[in-house]
Amino acid sequence: MPEDKANAERAASNVFAAAQGRLPGAGRIADIRARAFEAYERVGLPHRRVEEWKYTDLRVLMRDVLRLAEPPDASALRRAQAAVEQAAFEGAIKLVLVDGMFAPNLSDVAKLGKGVDVQTLREVLESSASDAMAGLVLSTTTDAMISLNTAMATDGVVVTIAEGKALRRPLHVIHVSTTSSASHFTRSYLHLGDGAHGTVVESFVSAESACGYQANNVMIVLVGNQAGLSHLRVKADAADAVNISSEIIAVGSRAKLNLFDMIRGGAVSRYQDFITLAGEGAELCVNGVNLLMEKQHADTTLVVDHAAPHCVSRQNFRAVVDGAGRSVFQGRIIARPDAQKSDAKLTMRALLLSDQAEADNKPELEIFADDVKCGHGATSGGLDESLLFYLGARGLSENDAQALLIRAFLGEAIEGIANANLRDFATSQTERWFKARR
């Protein structure tokens, strides 16, 4: 066994053994956790010889699994509150997780209206009456990092929106890291009943002085028939943090799902999304932006599975890479044999602002149906020198000219966000990146 794999496995095994007394759930839940950790141990941290992780070798980038963060104390909660105030989406109902634990005093659970039920993962796992739900929430996959999350998840939110219910206000799930050189694992679940509609924002931020942490988050989403969900996610972690986030989504018949993901923080980030268009006539729109500088590494991996006929998917991603940053995008579209009349398109574009910047784009099509429209395209390049000269000749500084062209480059992806308030929120996040870049 290679030494790096052996060291990583020993570190993870020690972390799991030390944490078992703090992990919620016994009996069947404990068995699920043990099997999930065994599945993780069989492969260890993903590396470049694993096809899905070939560009993001965690044995090199992450090396091992850090100790589990302690439950937040009063000091941690005070620092988390300051981070929440800066990250909060105006008008949203906040659901706050601090170092992997739900923080009721920082959350707005009392403001939830009728037809919306929110529980913590810990409550679900410790309730024998919720055994079936617990098994669903802790479902696992062949992905090693999701298996590790299944084994180690300490808390999360379990949200159910009743059939026909429309959320009056967005939900904002805010993950705050306050502990340095530690890891935390969260697992959340969102279910929209048939005909339900809602908006969910998810943010990853750090409290002042938190550094060198590892975040591992999984969200499972079920979108019912004729339901609609807008979901925006922003990663703004500490500059030396590692964030591995996964989402497993099933979309029902004639339902609409609008996703947007932005990575602008952290040393190493991976956002992986496994989406199944399970019902006839489902519609999916996914947009994403990576904003990188220095030595940041950001990986967006998306698998869209057309499993039913007459489904439509659109994927549009942009990356702006400065310094020695590296952006990775892997997009796979699958059209199953029964997915006739599928209509899918994938576009990815990268803007490289330095000679050391790198973008790796890997589009894939797996077509098993004979009556589909599927296509993809990928490009990368630098800023147009003639446009920079034109703008400079009209009095703009080099930084202002670059910023104007970068904003135009990002515009198509951000304009793909269906909700106007979410578009404004995403735009404000890009402005923070511009400010940090100066």
Side-chain angles (χ1 to χ4, degrees), residues 329-350:
F329 180 83
Q330 301 180 101
R332 183 191 309 166
I333 297 171
I334 305 170
R336 301 291 177 182
D338 292 335
Q340 303 296 339
K341 302 293 184 181
S342 291
D343 183 355
K345 185 177 181 180
L346 167 63
T347 304
M348 55 191 79
R349 296 176 182 171

Side-chain angles (χ1 to χ4, degrees), residues 71-234:
D73 57 17
S75 173
L77 291 174
R78 283 195 298 271
R79 289 183 289 121
Q81 183 174 8
V84 167
E85 290 173 354
Q86 291 185 349
F89 178 60
E90 186 175 356
I93 295 173
K94 299 186 298 294
L95 302 174
V96 180
L97 295 156
V98 179
D99 294 333
M101 301 294 293
F102 185 72
N105 292 337
L106 301 181
S107 302
D108 300 324
V109 176
K111 298 180 181 179
L112 292 167
K114 293 182 179 179
V116 183
D117 179 68
V118 174
Q119 296 176 276
T120 68
L121 177 72
R122 181 169 290 270
E123 290 171 341
V124 170
L125 297 185
E126 292 179 342
S127 170
S128 59
S130 302
D131 196 51
M133 172 65 79
L136 174 63
V137 172
L138 281 189
S139 60
T140 189
T141 70
T142 57
D143 183 85
M145 298 309 286
I146 294 179
S147 294
L148 182 61
N149 180 281
T150 301
M152 296 288 296
T154 54
D155 212 346
V157 291
V158 178
V159 181
T160 303
I161 303 174
E163 181 176 334
K165 173 69 177 179
L167 287 179
R168 293 181 291 105
R169 298 165 60 184
L171 299 180
H172 191 179
V173 182
I174 306 177
H175 303 260
V176 186
S177 299
T178 71
T179 304
S180 298
S181 303
S183 64
H184 50 84
F185 299 79
T186 49
R187 173 70 66 102
S188 295
Y189 175 85
L190 172 63
H191 181 199
L192 278 76
D194 293 349
H197 290 78
T199 297
V200 176
V201 180
E202 195 169 9
S203 297
F204 295 84
V205 297
S206 62
E208 186 178 3
S209 77
C211 60
Y213 59 83
Q214 296 172 354
N216 184 315
N217 174 69
V218 174
M219 179 176 280
I220 298 172
V221 181
L222 301 181
V223 183
N225 298 331
Q226 301 182 61
L229 172 64
S230 292
H231 184 191
L232 182 146
R233 175 181 296 204
V234 175

